[in-house]
Amino acid sequence: GQSLEQPSEVTAVEGAIVQINCTYQTSGFYGLSWYQQHDGGAPTFLSYNALDGLEETGRFSSFLSRSDSYGYLLLQELQMKDSASYFCAVRGDTGGFKTIFGAGTRLFVKA
Amino acid sequence: DAGVTQSPTHLIKTRGQHVTLRCSPISGHKSVSWYQQVLGQGPQFIFQYYEKEERGRGNFPDRFSARQFPNYSSELNVNALLLGDSALYLCASSLVAVQETQYFGPGTRLLVL
């Protein structure tokens, strides 16, 4: 089957750096994606890693280790507006194309 | 350019009824996926359609069905509604079936009484 594990909650202060980890189990692995969702809003795409290593997009970076079935999202220079839920997601191909999302990590940014 | 649009935004139904949710992808996108999101959980994959064909199906009962039209818009149908079907239904579009970047619509919030 396919499953993802990520912490349920993370709290950090404004200006700090926070790392959200994700471990996954899937077959036919294509890559690991990250999405952000504010309360009442729709998920928005943040980043995608298909190969091992670090991808950087502004204040956000994402890392993947395929051998460890592990990835993380790194948020730097935290701002209050970063308070949201963050989901890791994998796409497998067992039984057709499926994108499986983790349960989400709720990030609270404090002043 | 308009993003992914969904209709209706909110819907109230009673148990046993049928519901049809609609989604229009971003212009040029040929793939549409449907997700169910219960409060406090991640989106659960229901279906993916690409070029009007079903390309993936999640672990949902046969009461759930979908289709994609020649203009790439899509409908999700749910029959014999149960209280547990109350959720946010999200539609996401992408250029092709295996593109990782998915663009989500605002969702349809369904309440089953």
Side-chain angles (χ1 to χ4, degrees), chain B residues 34 46-47 49 54 57 64-68 74-77:
Chain B
W34 286 95
I46 309 176
F47 289 109
Y49 276 78
E54 181 184 300
R57 173 184 284 256
F64 289 76
S65 64
R67 56 180 176 168
Q68 186 176 34
S74 179
E75 282 183 356
L76 175 70
N77 295 282

Side-chain angles (χ1 to χ4, degrees), chain B residues 3-52:
Chain B
V4 178
T5 58
Q6 293 186 242
S7 62
T9 56
H10 295 81
L11 204 51
I12 300 175
K13 293 285 189 178
T14 56
R15 282 178 296 176
Q17 285 190 310
H18 162 271
V19 68
T20 297
L21 310 181
R22 295 177 175 83
C23 170
S24 291
I26 291 172
S27 177
H29 285 197
K30 298 182 177 180
S31 177
V32 169
S33 297
W34 286 95
Y35 296 85
Q36 180 195 68
Q37 186 175 28
V38 176
L39 193 63
Q41 297 182 19
Q44 300 293 310
F45 175 81
I46 309 176
F47 289 109
Q48 182 186 30
Y49 276 78
Y50 176 67
E51 290 284 13
K52 301 180 288 294

Side-chain angles (χ1 to χ4, degrees), chain A residues 77-105:
Chain A
E77 300 173 16
L78 280 174
Q79 301 175 10
M80 298 296 288
K81 67 178 182 179
D82 297 329
S83 292
S85 293
Y86 292 83
F87 299 93
C88 57
V90 295
R91 187 191 292 269
D93 62 1
T94 301
F97 295 122
K98 296 181 182 181
T99 300
I100 307 301
F101 281 75
T105 298

